[in-house]
Amino acid sequence: MTLSLSGDLSASAGVPEPRGTDSRWRVKLARKWARRLSAGESPGPGADELERQLAELVDQLCTIVTGEPFSAGEAVGLGARLVELDCTGETTLRCTLEVLGKNLLRGLGPRREGDLAERVLAALAALAAGYSGALRSAVAESQESSLVESLRQAHGNLELSRAQFDELFIRSTSGVAITDLDGRLLRTNEAFQRILDRSAADLAACTLFDVVQASEAEALRGYWQDLLDGMPQPLRQWRTLMRSDGEAVLASLSISLLRDADGRPDRYVTMVEDDTDLALLQNRMSHQSLHDMTTGLPNRQFFTSYLEKALGRADPLTGVTVYHLDLDAFSLVADGLGRQAGDRLLRWVSDRLRQVFAGEESMVARFSGDEFAVAVENAPGGPDVVSTVTRINEALAEPVYLDGHGVAASASIGVVHRPPPDIPPEELLRAADMTLRRARRNGCRQWELFDAGKDLAERERFSLAAAMPGAWETGQVRPVYAPIVDLARDKVVGIEAMLRWEHPEFGALPHEKCVELAEQTGLTLSLGTWLMKVACARISEAGELPFSVNLTPNQAVDPDLVGNVLRALEDSGLHPHRLRLVFPLRELVTERGEAVDNLRVLAEVGVCIVVRDFDGGLADLACLEDLPVCAVRLARRLVDRLAPSTGRFQVDEVLGDLVRLMHSAGVLVVIDGVETAEQAAWWREVGADRVLGSLFTPEGPVDDPAVLLP
């Protein structure tokens, strides 16, 4: 008898929550951060408030790092917030980067390590830029306040105040310029002269508007007039100043209006901060957030943005084509020659792809791991898809030498040609990924063109697979039972346990479909163990007939299989000889040996072993010769093709010889999939022993095994 256990037990039902989402971990990180920032100082009454504020920053930083789409620039405000919290010590930034850099990588997950490291690096760079910019602004405002106050006191003809002003004016690290109401530069300090690379004499012949980029001079005059008309002080803005050599300097200007003793406008004081380095850092941070660090190619976020624009502007007659590539043997290179060799191969592939598409309006991007994508805005007369795929394969086929080893890369490719211009980029990328998966199933260096019908079917299948764990929990997936019939006596001699999913939309999904879906989500091990346990309990109450359970490939090699079977038998009180475990033959003929070990141990404790997918080949016969097998099931593909084979005398004779060979070895022959009385009669004539199929359960498998008893 053969009961089919349809559940591939490839993954545990419960997955532990990543540490990065644990609020307690974040609180601990904030506490560690606060202690490092206040090292050497007594905690004080504000320690708890600082810890609370830092905990909020940790939460925001985790959200930025794990967010989709990822935007490192959002972390700039977190750095500025540190300055607002008065965390401006000499070691504040260093301690912050050390604490967050070490702990975020350990605490956040699950995510590919390389992707997470890049995100944390980009976010911390943004935080550092925000902190530096805010700190410089705070210092500038403090200096400005002191300088303006000194000027006011100087206007009161106090020599001491004049001396203090001169000291601040000379030693200030910020550029300072004093102008009249028309903007003529009356006095400038060394910092201002250094920023513009001009001497004091040169500047004395200029107005402030002369050293501002021409396109911005009028706007600055307007701000000056607004200030003169009573706009609240100080006025801060970013302007482009021009050095003597023509180089542009991005600077922040703080402008204050001074009045004389009678309250009349008298002078302008302008403080200048050179923000060029900060702008370069921000640009670099922005570049890193949109590009892959290994290859320098645009990343998925940048590619998606480009794709959205390309779809909108492409010629309606030629459209856009998207190529999604996956390197076939990248892991062999990375694992065999080392990670550095793998990175060099990725850079080589990126260069090759750039060359292939150099003459077209296109973007080449690296998504993650060994996946690349290309978007091409097709032009009339441009290369077609077939020739483009050929060019890609030829470009990647040329060997590249890594540490003395000649390595060639091949790729599987999914192609979406001329999608609708209004398709969302995310949907287009999903379609390209699904097409790539279908190409990979055909082997290495294969490609496939998007097919809407196949895509719809796969989306439906994936949707079912994703919903299956919830359906199992709510009872929609349940065990059902079918009879195993002795052909000679036309009598039920066993029961097979199977799965059935009563889907509210698609109706009853059979055992084979349930197993297929469970394997896609890693549910087969858990589901298979559950089916065996429930079947043992139900059949122990139904009578003395033996029952069968089909094992999936993952279940057959599971190191916990023996323990799970013995526990199910012990809990139900069933004797092992009543259980028929059906092993897939493919797992028994591999070199791994785990399935054979499980089979031998279970046979020794009394479990009857059945082998399925048997087709009578020499390898199959050699495998059975050494194993304690009590029955074989012919492969379903043979059953579907052979029976009934009227007039095919050679087939009848070969099958008859095979059945007699099995009988001489003491092994029964079982046929699964018998649907008509004609088929049953034919297999009886061939010599098969037992059958099961829809002929004996016209209404489908039943919920109660007791109704199958003779």
Side-chain angles (χ1 to χ4, degrees):
M1 290 138 271
T2 44
L3 180 174
S4 77
L5 168 52
S6 51
D8 181 311
L9 319 177
S10 61
S12 303
V15 178
E17 185 182 28
R19 290 180 54 198
T21 60
D22 188 339
S23 60
R24 292 175 297 177
W25 168 79
R26 300 189 185 190
V27 170
K28 291 180 180 178
L29 176 54
R31 185 175 298 122
K32 180 186 296 185
W33 189 6
R35 289 175 179 172
R36 286 292 303 276
L37 293 182
S38 58
E41 301 178 7
S42 57
D48 291 340
E49 176 61 20
L50 175 61
E51 184 175 320
R52 186 186 68 79
Q53 296 283 356
L54 294 181
E56 293 180 2
L57 295 187
V58 170
D59 287 341
Q60 296 174 28
L61 189 57
C62 291
T63 300
I64 292 171
V65 171
T66 60
E68 296 295 346
F70 172 64
S71 177
E74 297 178 6
V76 171
L78 305 187
R81 180 63 181 145
L82 274 179
V83 177
E84 294 177 7
L85 295 175
D86 201 23
C87 297
T88 56
E90 294 182 356
T91 62
T92 294
L93 185 56
R94 177 171 57 81
C95 292
T96 295
L97 296 180
E98 288 178 355
V99 171
L100 297 181
K102 293 177 181 179
N103 290 277
L104 286 176
L105 285 176
R106 289 198 298 261
L108 287 175
R111 179 181 291 274
R112 286 189 176 183
E113 183 178 352
D115 184 32
L116 178 60
E118 291 177 12
R119 288 186 173 213
V120 170
L121 175 62
L124 292 183
L127 184 147
Y131 177 87
S132 300
L135 184 59
R136 292 177 65 180
S137 297
V139 172
E141 290 176 1
S142 176
Q143 291 178 339
E144 176 192 352
S145 177
S146 299
L147 186 57
V148 171
E149 182 61 25
S150 296
L151 281 172
R152 287 173 177 161
Q153 292 179 6
H155 271 275
N157 295 319
L158 298 177
E159 292 299 328
L160 179 60
S161 296
R162 186 181 300 276
Q164 290 175 343
F165 167 75
D166 288 341
E167 183 72 14
L168 283 171
F169 182 86
I170 294 170
R171 297 187 179 278
S172 174
T173 58
S174 301
V176 183
I178 301 174
T179 66
D180 61 16
L181 297 183
D182 294 326
R184 188 165 59 90
L185 292 167
L186 303 177
R187 187 179 181 188
T188 58
N189 69 350
E190 290 185 3
F192 187 89
Q193 297 160 19
R194 185 174 59 253
I195 290 173
L196 293 180
D197 190 28
R198 297 171 184 259
S199 67
D202 290 341
L203 291 171
C206 302
T207 67
L208 185 62
F209 309 112
D210 295 332
V211 298
V212 173
Q213 193 173 62
S215 60
E216 301 180 9
E218 286 303 315
L220 183 59
R221 289 181 186 275
Y223 280 119
W224 273 44
Q225 186 61 46
D226 290 341
L227 189 62
L228 191 62
D229 292 341
M231 178 178 288
Q233 300 182 51
L235 176 64
R236 182 179 296 274
Q237 55 186 282
W238 276 262
R239 293 295 171 193
T240 304
L241 306 183
M242 305 305 298
R243 291 164 53 94
S244 60
D245 58 4
E247 182 181 348
V249 177
L250 178 64
S252 62
L253 276 57
S254 299
I255 305 172
S256 299
L257 178 64
L258 298 181
R259 299 178 183 273
D260 61 17
D262 297 326
R264 291 173 298 188
D266 184 37
R267 297 284 191 274
Y268 284 105
V269 175
T270 302
M271 298 190 66
V272 179
E273 289 288 344
D274 184 356
D275 288 341
T276 303
D277 291 341
L278 180 59
L280 290 175
L281 178 60
Q282 290 175 334
N283 289 339
R284 183 178 179 184
M285 176 192 66
S286 176
H287 183 274
Q288 289 180 347
S289 69
L290 295 174
H291 290 77
D292 168 54
M293 296 182 66
T294 301
T295 63
L297 291 176
N299 60 15
R300 188 185 190 96
Q301 180 181 349
F302 194 1
F303 185 83
T304 303
S305 177
Y306 171 84
L307 193 57
E308 183 175 15
K309 297 175 183 176
L311 288 167
R313 66 175 176 244
D315 187 332
L317 298 178
T318 56
V320 171
T321 302
V322 173
Y323 301 85
H324 192 178
L325 296 83
D326 181 55
L327 301 185
D328 293 321
F330 174 73
S331 60
L332 296 180
V333 176
D335 294 341
L337 302 181
R339 190 70 227 181
Q340 290 185 349
D343 289 345
R344 289 170 57 194
L345 178 60
L346 291 175
R347 288 190 286 270
W348 180 85
V349 169
S350 67
D351 290 340
R352 289 289 175 172
L353 292 177
R354 285 192 187 103
Q355 294 173 17
V356 170
F357 294 96
E360 302 178 66
E361 189 68 33
S362 61
M363 173 180 279
V364 180
R366 180 193 175 200
F367 279 3
S368 63
D370 56 355
E371 292 188 22
F372 294 82
V374 185
V376 180
E377 299 179 43
N378 301 315
D384 58 25
V385 170
V386 175
S387 61
T388 299
V389 170
T390 301
R391 288 163 53 209
I392 293 174
N393 287 329
E394 290 175 350
L396 299 183
E398 182 179 341
V400 56
Y401 286 86
L402 307 173
D403 300 330
H405 301 277
V407 176
S410 66
S412 300
I413 308 173
V415 184
V416 182
H417 183 55
R418 295 180 58 189
D422 58 347
I423 185 175
E426 296 79 7
E427 174 64 17
L428 176 53
L429 292 178
R430 184 208 61 77
D433 181 65
M434 297 282 281
T435 307
L436 170 61
R437 293 188 192 185
R438 289 196 295 272
R440 277 199 302 242
R441 287 198 289 267
N442 295 328
C444 296
R445 200 179 175 180
Q446 300 296 312
W447 72 279
E448 184 157 335
L449 195 63
F450 172 77
D451 182 285
K454 292 180 180 179
D455 184 71
L456 180 61
E458 288 198 345
R459 292 186 68 174
E460 180 179 289
R461 188 174 78 251
F462 290 162
S463 175
L464 284 172
M468 191 174 191
W472 178 26
E473 184 178 3
T474 57
Q476 293 180 14
V477 179
R478 66 177 190 271
V480 291
Y481 305 90
I484 300 175
V485 177
D486 184 284
L487 276 174
R489 296 180 291 166
D490 196 23
K491 178 181 179 182
V492 175
V493 293
I495 298 173
E496 173 129 327
M498 297 180 287
L499 293 168
R500 182 166 62 192
W501 181 357
E502 295 292 346
H503 195 280
E505 180 179 354
F506 300 105
L509 302 182
H511 174 81
E512 294 76 13
K513 187 67 173 180
C514 290
V515 172
E516 175 190 344
L517 295 173
E519 286 180 342
Q520 295 178 22
T521 57
L523 195 63
T524 48
L525 286 176
S526 301
L527 195 58
T529 301
W530 171 78
L531 174 61
M532 185 177 301
K533 181 179 180 180
V534 173
C536 285
R538 289 297 305 274
I539 290 176
S540 67
E541 302 170 355
E544 296 299 324
L545 287 180
F547 71 101
S548 300
V549 176
N550 268 304
L551 300 180
T552 65
N554 283 341
Q555 201 174 358
V557 300
D558 181 17
D560 295 327
L561 175 63
V562 173
N564 292 333
V565 171
L566 295 180
R567 278 191 295 273
L569 292 172
E570 181 179 359
D571 292 344
S572 63
L574 285 175
H575 193 279
H577 79 273
R578 291 186 60 191
L579 175 61
R580 309 288 188 262
L581 283 183
V582 185
F583 278 78
L585 182 61
R586 183 186 63 183
E587 302 306 314
L588 300 175
V589 298
T590 61
E591 297 180 358
R592 294 166 58 187
E594 293 90 341
V596 172
D597 293 341
N598 285 336
L599 183 152
R600 293 188 185 279
V601 174
L602 290 168
E604 288 176 1
V605 300
V607 175
C608 180
I609 304 300
V610 180
V611 174
R612 72 167 185 266
D613 302 327
F614 182 79
D615 61 13
L618 292 179
D620 297 355
L621 294 173
C623 176
L624 295 183
E625 189 174 32
D626 298 328
L627 298 177
V629 175
C630 64
V632 295
R633 288 190 181 186
L634 292 189
R636 281 294 298 267
R637 66 181 184 279
L638 295 180
V639 173
D640 294 339
R641 292 181 61 186
L642 295 179
S645 61
T646 304
R648 293 158 62 181
F649 304 108
Q650 188 175 8
V651 170
D652 293 358
E653 184 177 350
V654 171
L655 282 177
D657 291 342
L658 178 62
V659 171
R660 285 189 291 274
L661 178 62
M662 293 295 99
H663 288 168
S664 66
V667 176
L668 299 177
V669 177
V670 182
I671 308 300
D672 187 3
V674 175
E675 299 177 352
T676 66
E678 181 185 11
Q679 290 177 338
W682 187 84
W683 283 110
R684 183 184 298 111
E685 183 178 347
V686 169
D689 300 291
R690 292 169 183 173
V691 293
L692 63 160
S694 60
L695 171 64
F696 310 102
T697 53
E699 302 298 326
V702 299
D703 294 324
D704 184 3
V707 303
L708 302 176
L709 299 179

